[in-house]
Amino acid sequence: MELTTAEENYLKAIYHLSEEGKKSVSTNDIATAIQTKPASVSDMLRKLGEKEVIQYRKYYGLQITELGKRLALQTIRKHRLWEVFLVDKLHFAWDEVHEVAEQLEHIQSPLLIERLDAYLNYPKFDPHGDPIPDEYGDVRSRPRIALNEMNIDQGGQIVAVKDSSAAFLRYLDKVGAYIGARIKVLDKVEFDGSVEILVDQKKTLFMSKDVASNILVLQS
Amino acid sequence: MELTTAEENYLKAIYHLSEEGKKSVSTNDIATAIQTKPASVSDMLRKLGEKEVIQYRKYYGLQITELGKRLALQTIRKHRLWEVFLVDKLHFAWDEVHEVAEQLEHIQSPLLIERLDAYLNYPKFDPHGDPIPDEYGDVRSRPRIALNEMNIDQGGQIVAVKDSSAAFLRYLDKVGAYIGARIKVLDKVEFDGSVEILVDQKKTLFMSKDVASNILVLQS
DNA sequence: ATTTATTTTTAGATATATCTAATTTTATTT
DNA sequence: AAATAAAATTAGATATATCTAAAAATAAAT
């Protein structure tokens, strides 16, 4: 089963929206996610339905099929592996990789991905801390918690960010709260939800609730 | 000027056929080279003519323009750099690379190609022995200069070291002056020949003359 | 339960890239 | 030079992917 680049992009968006715990994925949601118009989405949903990567009934909504999930995860796997390559090998910054990976993820060559995976040493997480599915679509996801929801004296490791906008990533980089940093919660201010944390056992950092709620931590 | 993937493929074929010393490139030749029908070629030639990458007069034939040559060479450069990557880094056999490189050559990202070039150590030939054009389409290599001989405000990219002892490489790695890093000379101290440089537009670095004179820079 | 608003879909256009079949132009032969 | 062959182009279709504007279906509000 072969998908076009456009179809892959739609399916990936549908997968992500489905995973976000929403009861159903709307045509409008997809249009927003993919920066297109609802009319185009309707058309594409019909096609994806015919290809049986989603179950689609007009006006009723859609559900991604097992086949669809498998294909979406393959694309996500490729995207994240390329991100690792760009950051680890080509010294791209976190916030520079997305656009390029969006293109690279559509390259068709199972051998290429197999070799790339090996070359990168079978990474389990991308530079944003998101898990990389294996070739069968399995993910080893660990339980993660938002930084602002941790208790005082609890420790852990920053593994991902919710908001991966360039501005936010630049900010994190600047204050030294990189993916992989070991942190510990020193204090929480009830009033505004801000937190004080210790980074790598040396630097203390104050963070607003807004910032902290966008940082995901693997508790230890 | 932006070309579509199809246009890039046609232009590349036209460039190759033109280089083969033939007096003129025929519609049929192109159709054969690109595995398509003459009717499709006629259509595309009109479009390429409008975009001024070729000079085209119906029934008379075509000639690739300077602009066309430049764009074709850029695509060829990308194709051959990816081939080097696939063979040198991912251990593809030389006869397995073509198909994948045909896809990779269309990825749009000047930064990616710049970094890839650096990562591969500025190869001059691909695995088939064909020369890799530089970013201007030239096959000749540009002059490199020792870092301590650059002028203030001049920028460039670290491309090699004279002294490649382990100790020196460790030092470079530690301060973040890796091969491929984009640098700019911020200041020079007359007294001892030391320099201050900006690395990747964020980190400033001081270097003694001894260190700087062992670093070779490709000026931009 | 009607009316109103929102969401979704369809109808009809546009743009790219391709094809087959028909036509036109150029080249070759007699 | 007229007839024939070859090459190149146009006309008209098809397929993908998108859009705007209109219509249809569902959801929300009075």
Side-chain angles (χ1 to χ4, degrees):
Chain A
M1 239 274 292
E2 303 265 298
L3 297 183
T4 66
T5 293
E7 286 168 346
E8 277 185 358
N9 283 334
Y10 273 92
L11 191 57
K12 197 166 54 115
I14 290 167
Y15 176 85
H16 280 135
L17 289 169
S18 300
E19 290 298 291
E20 277 169 17
K22 291 183 180 158
K23 42 210 147 238
S24 74
V25 178
S26 78
T27 300
N28 272 341
D29 287 347
I30 298 168
T32 303
I34 227 163
Q35 304 248 66
T36 187
K37 296 288 182 287
S40 309
V41 176
S42 282
D43 231 55
M44 185 57 93
L45 292 183
R46 189 183 44 73
K47 281 191 229 169
L48 293 178
E50 280 168 14
K51 294 206 171 185
E52 301 191 327
V53 294
I54 61 171
Q55 252 191 297
Y56 174 56
R57 277 174 62 206
K58 296 196 298 192
Y59 296 106
Y60 265 70
L62 65 94
Q63 194 165 6
I64 193 163
T65 64
E66 278 309 308
L67 172 62
K69 246 181 228 171
R70 205 163 52 72
L71 294 176
L73 281 164
Q74 250 166 46
T75 306
I76 290 166
R77 167 173 163 77
K78 292 197 275 180
H79 182 102
R80 292 182 180 164
L81 281 175
W82 280 116
E83 284 195 345
V84 172
F85 170 71
L86 294 173
V87 169
D88 282 14
K89 305 294 185 184
L90 299 195
H91 302 106
F92 274 62
W94 298 12
D95 54 321
E96 295 173 324
V97 296
H98 191 73
E99 263 189 45
V100 186
E102 283 291 298
Q103 296 181 60
L104 287 164
E105 73 187 7
H106 300 296
I107 303 290
Q108 305 278 356
S109 168
L111 180 62
L112 173 64
I113 294 307
E114 198 179 284
R115 295 283 170 91
L116 184 65
D117 192 26
Y119 184 57
L120 299 173
N121 239 302
Y122 308 98
K124 294 286 171 287
F125 299 92
D126 77 7
H128 305 96
D130 293 314
I132 298 173
D134 68 18
E135 57 188 311
Y136 309 108
D138 291 329
V139 243
R140 185 159 310 159
S141 69
R142 299 172 288 175
R144 304 181 298 191
I145 187 173
L147 179 48
N148 66 310
E149 281 164 1
M150 293 175 71
N151 295 320
I152 291 178
D153 277 346
Q154 266 207 308
Q157 201 173 7
I158 297 180
V159 292
V161 291
K162 281 184 187 165
D163 171 3
S164 62
S165 69
F168 188 63
L169 293 176
R170 265 200 302 279
Y171 166 76
L172 285 186
D173 213 52
K174 192 178 145 210
V175 300
Y178 59 95
I179 296 282
R182 298 213 143 272
I183 62 108
K184 186 180 160 189
V185 177
L186 296 177
D187 202 7
K188 292 178 73 171
V189 181
E190 288 292 320
F191 177 64
D192 62 357
S194 64
V195 296
E196 184 184 3
I197 63 170
L198 179 69
V199 180
D200 286 338
Q201 294 172 337
K202 41 188 174 199
K203 194 160 49 172
T204 61
L205 218 64
F206 287 93
M207 267 179 191
S208 69
K209 186 183 179 184
D210 274 4
V211 169
S213 64
N214 275 309
I215 296 177
L216 295 176
V217 176
L218 178 65
Q219 291 178 86
S220 52
Chain B
M1 239 277 291
E2 303 266 295
L3 296 182
T4 66
T5 294
E7 286 167 346
E8 277 184 357
N9 284 334
Y10 273 93
L11 191 56
K12 198 165 55 114
I14 290 167
Y15 176 85
H16 283 314
L17 289 168
S18 301
E19 290 297 291
E20 277 169 17
K22 293 186 179 153
K23 41 208 153 243
S24 74
V25 179
S26 77
T27 300
N28 272 342
D29 288 346
I30 298 168
T32 303
I34 227 164
Q35 304 247 67
T36 186
K37 295 290 181 288
S40 308
V41 176
S42 282
D43 229 55
M44 186 55 95
L45 292 182
R46 189 182 45 71
K47 281 192 227 166
L48 293 178
E50 280 166 15
K51 294 205 171 185
E52 301 190 325
V53 294
I54 61 170
Q55 253 192 297
Y56 174 56
R57 278 174 60 207
K58 296 195 299 190
Y59 296 105
Y60 266 70
L62 66 93
Q63 193 164 10
I64 192 163
T65 64
E66 278 308 308
L67 172 62
K69 247 181 231 173
R70 204 161 54 73
L71 294 177
L73 280 165
Q74 251 167 45
T75 306
I76 290 166
R77 167 174 163 75
K78 292 197 276 179
H79 182 102
R80 293 183 179 163
L81 281 175
W82 280 116
E83 285 195 344
V84 172
F85 170 71
L86 294 173
V87 169
D88 283 12
K89 305 293 184 183
L90 299 196
H91 305 106
F92 274 63
W94 67 272
D95 56 331
E96 294 174 323
V97 296
H98 190 73
E99 262 189 45
V100 186
E102 282 291 297
Q103 296 180 61
L104 286 164
E105 74 187 6
H106 299 296
I107 303 289
Q108 305 279 352
S109 169
L111 180 62
L112 172 64
I113 294 308
E114 199 179 284
R115 294 284 170 91
L116 184 65
D117 192 25
Y119 184 57
L120 300 173
N121 239 301
Y122 307 96
K124 295 285 171 285
F125 300 91
D126 76 9
H128 305 95
D130 295 314
I132 299 173
D134 69 18
E135 57 188 310
Y136 308 108
D138 293 328
V139 183
R140 69 154 214 281
S141 55
R142 288 171 295 160
R144 304 183 297 189
I145 187 174
L147 179 49
N148 65 310
E149 282 162 4
M150 292 176 71
N151 295 321
I152 291 177
D153 276 346
Q154 265 207 308
Q157 203 169 10
I158 297 179
V159 292
V161 291
K162 281 182 187 165
D163 171 3
S164 61
S165 68
F168 187 63
L169 292 176
R170 262 201 305 277
Y171 166 77
L172 284 186
D173 211 53
K174 191 179 146 206
V175 300
Y178 58 95
I179 298 283
R182 295 214 139 274
I183 63 106
K184 185 179 160 190
V185 178
L186 294 178
D187 202 7
K188 294 178 73 170
V189 180
E190 288 291 322
F191 176 65
D192 62 358
S194 65
V195 295
E196 184 184 5
I197 63 171
L198 179 69
V199 180
D200 284 338
Q201 293 171 337
K202 40 187 174 200
K203 194 161 47 174
T204 62
L205 219 64
F206 287 93
M207 268 179 189
S208 69
K209 185 182 180 182
D210 272 4
V211 170
S213 64
N214 274 308
I215 296 177
L216 293 177
V217 176
L218 183 63
Q219 292 179 86
S220 51

